[in-house]
Every structure is written in structure tokens, then in C-alpha cells.
Amino acid sequence: MGIEIMKHFPLKLPPRPGQDKALDFIERMVKDGVEDIIIEAPTGAGKSAMGAAACNWAANWSPIDMGEGQLTKPGGFYLVTQIGLQKQIIADVKANHVAHDFACLWSSSKYPCDGGKLDRNRVEQADFEAFDPPDDSRLSITCQMGLKNKKPACQGRLGKTCPYMIARGAFDQAIFSLTNYPWFLTERMFVGQLQPRNVMVLDECHTLERQLLKFGEIAISESLLREWDVRGLQVPEIEDMQQFANWLETRYLPHINERLGDYLSMAKALDDGMDSNLSKRITALENQVQKIVACVDGVRTKPDNWVYWYEQTDRDGNAAYCKPLDAAPYMDLIRSGAAVRIYMSAFPGEKHIFCESLGLDPDAVAWIRLASEFSKDNRPVIMGLVGSMSRRNQDTTLPALLRVVDKIMTQHAEEKGVIHCHSYELGQKILDYLKRTKHGSRILYPKRADERDELYKRHQHDPKPTVMLSPSMTEGYDFKFDEARWQIIAKVPYPYLGDRQIAAKKDRSQAWYDLQTVMSIVQASGRVCRDATDYGVTYVLDSDFKSLWDKRRDMFPKWFQEAIVWT
């Protein structure tokens, strides 16, 4: 047993066997000098409590030299992918921390600002007691702290009443500092004011490669130029990546800087603060300028690490994309943030693929796999394979699949559920069919990403047996207990090969591509059984699962394999 780390377990209940095993492993590896530790812990293992224990334990370590005389601070950072996961961790561990030992930081746009008229005591109470941005309907202007030195002086900052600055101060001083990947990566790349910590916990680490690659990509479309009100510029039909980099530097960047200057002048002319749209545009353009410079430099110095393409789309008009292929060059943003990194996920994938994708040395990485503490009888994965749902065969299979979906919904007529449709195109076809059945009124279908969370909340609180239909809820969403007793995986979620970044990575490694699909299925299976006393059934309807299973059975974790029911 890890004697020292266990003293810092944040919950009143004693650790479960899996938590005990993982924490003992973490302590032993840290004492052996291991810097990268992976914890593979299935749904319900209590990862947030493990991460909190590591951060709390690291508050007692001596400072560690990160090189060039830079020393670490006590405690740890805890990174997550989504706002919902931040709130979940707050609910799990906040109550067991002394005030100021725990702090949660959201993006600056989540904090209201009225130009310095807030009462500091009320702001501090809201932030430190609720661990959430202040919620006041009268405060409609978002925080302007995304702006750089060229911005007008913020009276909230000068008067020390800015909610974001107060929350940022608490985050810097806390032992357990919780935030999201995009904020952390942006700060490390473009600001660099965070002192490294002893420990960093990277939750949902199976998404880390995706987070890093997305952080480096550039996507420019006609709709984006209209949104930012960039005039006199069109997305050119350029096929060569180096020519596109030259266009970014000589044409696009001057226009963006000019528009940014216009917005800053508008902001300076406002005496009582600025509206939220102006603040958001300035912040977005400033981030875009920094990303363009990094992209151009990357394309010119390491062209083999980039892929570029141009296309015409119905929604966005002409669009150009430049994306990196290798996440390893961005990993220094993570490594430089803490002396010890603890990666956690229900299923990070295979060790050699995970390490290769991030530029980690597999021999220097410690990895532990925990068994599921949930009975397989409570989480069956039923193979109700109807037919192939590949693009070539979908029209043939779809009528039978829709009838089976109707049958499953009838079987679960009084229970909430989830249908994972993988694409909006397939989701619309399922919706159109179900509207003609008695189940039509049960369906909640977010047709855009910005509708998803609102309908998710409605689903949670609606007493009727509603059903979420979505292509993007296979991870990060919690359908515990009666919030979903069943779910359908309508199509095997192979990554979209129309994205040339994915196609290029598939060409480099078929195993990488197949693993992304396996991880999506495994993550989806964990949405409806969230506790040892919970239960929920998963139905897989696409028969293409069988070919994936035959080829990559060894990629699926044991706890998933034991739950499969072949019909």
C-alpha cells in the first residue's frame, strides 16, 4: 500500500481496491523516478479521487528543478476535456478540500465583467465557495482578460474586482488546480506565466493526441471571414502547402492584424466596457495571429509533419485546412508544466501506439491496468448485428436497422436511452423514421454542437422516457442510473477519411486508425453504467463490428470483452 499518498485521499469513504492499487503504483513509480505514469481505470473506478490524492500528496514534495533554474510549485494541475467533466470533478472532491486548497478555472469568456463595478466580497464569495463563475443575470458582458497589452485598461483589473483575475489568483495558489486542456495549452504556448507544478494529472488522456493536434491546426473558410468581418479577402484555391503558408503570412495575417486593430480602437473608445461580441472577436483574432505564426513556422521547418487541403463546402463555402500529423512536437507544453505526469483514462489504447503518438519512450513509461469493478451482467454489450453500415452498404442495411431501433425502443418504452449515430446525416435519417412511429416525441436530437448541452440537461430533468440521438456523445457525458438504461451504437465509428489529417495518419499506421475506432466503441459502452449498483445495456447493430473484432480483438480491454453477448 502507498502509505504516504493514501494519507491524502480526498474522500471520507476508504479507497476501493482499484483505487488502493493505483495509488500504491503511483507512489512506487514516483519514488523510482518515473516521470510518465499511465492509469488505465474503467468507468466507475474513481479516477478523480486518485488524481486529487496525487495533487494533495505532491503539495508535500520538495521543489524539483525543471532546468534553467526553474523550480516546481507544490501540488498539481488537473486537466480535463470538457466543462461537464470539470463540474463532475467539483461535485466529486470539492467538499473534502479546505477553502483555497482547491480551485477551478474556466476560460476567461465564462466570467462576467461590468468594467469594475462588481463588489469584491461578493465576487470572492461566489468564486471560492461555489467554485464556479459568478452567475448574475445583470452581468451580461464577458471578461475582457483575453485581451493583450494593447487593450484599454480594465477597471475591474485595476480595482482588483475582476472575477477572472480573482479566479486565476486562486488557481495559481491552490494545491489542487483544475482546468481544461485548451486553456492550459493556450497559456503554456502564448502566455507562459504558470509556474510548473510537482504533478500534472491528465484525465481522459486518450484524447490528448487529439487535443494537441487540434491546438496546432489552422482552418480558414469564407464563413469564418464573414463571422470576423474580414473584408477584401477570399480563401484562395491553392493546392500547394508552401504556397498556402506564404499566403497566410503575406495576405491573411496583415488582414487579420488590420481587423484586430479596428476592434481594439473600437474597444478603446468605449468608456463603460465593451459588449461581449467585441471582446470575443478580439480574443479570437489574437489567438489566430499566434496560431498562424506557429503554423507557418512549422510548415517551413517540418513540412513532412503537416497536411494541407482545399475544398468547397455547402455550409462554409471555400475552405482551407492545414493540420499537423505528429503531436510529439507539442508535448513539451505538457512536459514543461510538471515534473511528474499522471495520465488517466478508462481506455488509453495500446501502450506502444499511445506512447508513439505522443513521442514518449515506452520503456520509460509506467502503465497499470485495473479490472472493472462492475459486474458484466450489469453492462452487457449485445451484438444485434443487422448488416453493414459502411457507406457502400448503408442504403441496403438501413431499412432493417431502423426497424430494429424501433423494436428496441418499444422494448424500453418506459426507460430513457441514447442512440449513437456517428454522423448528422445518419442521425437525420433515424430521426425522420422515428417521427413516423409512436416514439417520435421521445427523441431529442441536437442538430448542431451548440445545442447538445442544452438538450442533454433537458433529457436529464425530463420525467418522460426521452432518448438522446447524437453523433458526438460517445465520451464526456454521464447517463447514470435512470438517465439511460439502454443505448444503441448504430454504426461502427471509424474516423472520417475525408479529413486528410486522419487519412494521412491511417496511411502511416493502420493500427492507429483501427485503435481510434476501438476506443470510440469502448468509450461509448461506458455511458450508461456508471456505478457498481447501476445497470445499462448496449446494442451494437452494425455488422462491420465483426470484421473489426476479428482483426483487432486484442485491442479491446478484457473488461469490455467479457461483457459481449453474441446473439
Side-chain angles (χ1 to χ4, degrees):
M1 175 185 292
I3 297 175
E4 293 180 19
I5 195 172
M6 205 59 68
K7 295 176 183 177
H8 303 279
F9 190 69
L11 305 183
K12 295 177 181 178
L13 294 173
R16 301 196 294 271
Q19 291 172 319
D20 193 2
K21 184 178 181 180
L23 291 174
D24 175 66
F25 181 76
I26 290 171
E27 182 172 323
R28 287 189 290 108
M29 293 304 101
V30 169
K31 290 182 176 180
D32 284 346
V34 178
E35 297 180 351
D36 294 287
I37 304 167
I38 289 85
I39 309 297
E40 182 177 329
T43 301
K47 292 189 292 292
S48 58
M50 299 179 203
C55 292
N56 296 343
W57 176 45
N60 297 288
W61 301 1
S62 298
I64 299 170
D65 189 350
M66 296 289 288
E68 299 182 356
Q70 188 175 34
L71 300 178
T72 58
K73 285 182 64 173
F77 297 121
Y78 194 118
L79 306 186
V80 297
T81 55
Q82 298 176 357
I83 288 176
L85 290 172
Q86 283 183 258
K87 292 181 178 179
Q88 181 180 323
I89 292 171
I90 290 170
D92 288 344
V93 303
K94 178 196 75 172
N96 298 287
H97 282 77
V98 177
H100 302 289
D101 280 353
F102 176 97
C104 177
L105 186 65
W106 319 84
S107 63
S108 61
S109 64
K110 297 295 181 183
Y111 293 87
C113 176
D114 70 349
K117 299 176 184 177
L118 292 172
D119 177 76
R120 180 176 175 83
N121 291 330
R122 183 164 66 86
V123 174
E124 286 186 332
Q125 183 181 29
D127 184 65
F128 295 144
E129 291 186 6
F131 300 96
D132 211 345
D135 184 11
D136 191 322
S137 60
R138 294 172 296 170
L139 308 175
S140 59
I141 302 174
T142 59
C143 178
Q144 303 164 20
M145 287 312 300
L147 313 185
K148 307 301 178 192
N149 294 329
K150 294 179 286 186
K151 69 179 183 296
C154 172
Q155 294 302 312
R157 185 179 186 184
L158 295 175
K160 299 182 179 180
T161 61
C162 170
Y164 174 72
M165 291 303 293
I166 293 174
R168 171 64 191 267
F171 180 85
D172 288 343
Q173 297 302 317
I175 290 172
F176 182 177
S177 298
L178 171 66
T179 191
N180 55 74
Y181 285 99
W183 184 92
F184 184 85
L185 293 173
T186 300
E187 201 287 335
R188 296 301 294 168
M189 173 69 87
F190 302 127
V191 183
Q193 294 180 349
L194 276 182
Q195 186 174 343
R197 297 291 181 92
N198 287 335
V199 159
M200 182 191 303
V201 177
L202 298 108
D203 205 356
E204 303 295 324
C205 68
H206 63 278
T207 71
L208 180 55
E209 181 193 28
R210 195 188 319 159
Q211 298 282 344
L212 294 172
L213 291 175
K214 186 173 181 62
F215 182 73
E217 70 182 35
I218 291 288
I220 302 169
S221 65
E222 290 181 349
S223 64
L224 183 66
L225 296 180
R226 288 194 298 271
E227 179 184 339
W228 287 348
D229 199 20
V230 177
R231 301 164 189 167
L233 190 68
Q234 293 181 327
V235 180
E237 296 186 32
I238 295 176
E239 297 297 332
D240 180 75
M241 183 170 63
Q242 294 295 342
Q243 290 180 9
F244 179 70
N246 185 62
W247 178 84
L248 284 176
E249 186 175 48
T250 61
R251 294 278 293 148
Y252 183 66
L253 189 56
H255 273 79
I256 293 297
N257 277 321
E258 180 181 357
R259 201 70 191 115
L260 178 58
D262 293 341
Y263 286 142
L264 288 168
S265 297
M266 293 167 60
K268 197 169 185 177
L270 297 173
D271 294 330
D272 297 325
M274 67 182 81
D275 66 64
S276 59
N277 287 330
L278 181 55
S279 173
K280 288 178 180 178
R281 286 186 178 192
I282 292 173
T283 301
L285 287 177
E286 287 179 333
N287 289 339
Q288 184 77 349
V289 167
Q290 294 164 325
K291 290 184 71 171
I292 293 167
V293 172
C295 174
V296 170
D297 180 66
V299 167
R300 287 178 175 165
T301 57
K302 294 184 178 180
D304 291 344
N305 186 43
W306 292 80
V307 62
Y308 164 78
W309 75 99
Y310 165 89
E311 66 183 16
Q312 294 179 326
T313 66
D314 293 335
R315 187 184 68 177
D316 298 324
N318 295 343
Y321 307 90
C322 196
K323 300 184 179 184
L325 298 176
D326 185 6
Y330 300 98
M331 270 297 287
D332 190 56
L333 299 174
I334 299 296
R335 280 190 292 263
S336 64
V340 175
R341 282 79 59 183
I342 301 173
Y343 309 78
M344 299 194 303
S345 172
F347 183 52
E350 292 193 325
K351 182 177 181 178
H352 74 281
I353 297 177
F354 178 87
C355 292
E356 181 181 345
S357 69
L358 299 176
L360 300 175
D361 179 1
D363 294 333
V365 169
W367 190 302
I368 185 173
R369 289 184 170 91
L370 303 180
S372 176
E373 298 180 6
F374 299 173
S375 168
K376 65 179 182 179
D377 296 331
N378 288 0
R379 49 183 178 87
V381 181
I382 297 177
M383 293 296 146
L385 308 180
V386 176
S388 170
M389 284 295 289
S390 67
R391 183 168 295 275
R392 181 177 58 186
N393 299 316
Q394 190 173 123
D395 288 344
T396 302
T397 301
L398 190 59
L401 182 137
L402 293 173
R403 290 193 296 271
V404 172
V405 170
D406 187 5
K407 183 177 180 180
I408 292 172
M409 292 188 67
T410 299
Q411 183 177 342
H412 297 277
E414 303 301 321
E415 296 176 318
K416 290 177 180 284
V418 187
I419 301 175
H420 302 289
C421 54
H422 186 52
S423 71
Y424 285 107
E425 180 184 3
L426 178 56
Q428 188 63 50
K429 292 177 180 178
I430 295 173
L431 177 67
D432 292 343
Y433 175 84
L434 292 176
K435 279 181 177 178
R436 302 193 298 269
T437 72
K438 60 184 178 182
H439 304 298
S441 62
R442 299 171 61 188
I443 301 297
L444 299 176
Y445 179 51
K447 296 184 179 181
R448 301 190 311 271
D450 58 5
E451 297 177 350
R452 188 171 54 230
D453 287 347
E454 180 181 347
L455 289 180
Y456 173 61
K457 290 179 182 177
R458 178 178 162 188
H459 171 82
Q460 288 178 303
H461 298 106
D462 196 323
K464 297 189 291 295
T466 51
V467 177
M468 287 295 305
L469 170 64
S470 174
S472 54
M473 300 188 84
T474 56
E475 60 185 66
Y477 287 88
D478 185 350
F479 295 93
K480 57 187 177 183
F481 299 109
D482 288 338
E483 290 177 10
R485 293 299 184 187
W486 60 275
Q487 63 180 346
I488 292 171
I489 298 176
K491 185 181 186 307
V492 172
Y494 281 105
Y496 176 55
L497 290 174
D499 185 322
R500 295 193 189 178
Q501 180 191 51
I502 293 174
K505 290 183 70 65
K506 177 179 180 289
D507 288 341
R508 287 185 174 187
S509 173
Q510 180 69 44
W512 174 89
Y513 183 75
D514 291 340
L515 180 59
Q516 308 312 302
T517 311
V518 171
M519 287 195 294
S520 292
I521 294 171
V522 172
Q523 287 291 330
S525 73
R527 294 312 95 205
V528 298
C529 185
R530 310 289 299 176
D531 184 271
T533 61
D534 197 1
Y535 64 88
V537 57
T538 298
Y539 300 93
V540 178
L541 303 187
D542 184 357
S543 63
D544 290 337
F545 177 88
K546 186 61 168 57
S547 59
L548 177 66
W549 174 263
D550 290 342
K551 182 171 63 171
R552 300 295 188 186
R553 177 174 180 171
D554 59 320
M555 284 187 174
F556 288 89
K558 183 178 178 180
W559 54 266
F560 178 89
Q561 294 189 33
E562 67 185 15
I564 291 181
V565 179
W566 296 98
T567 62

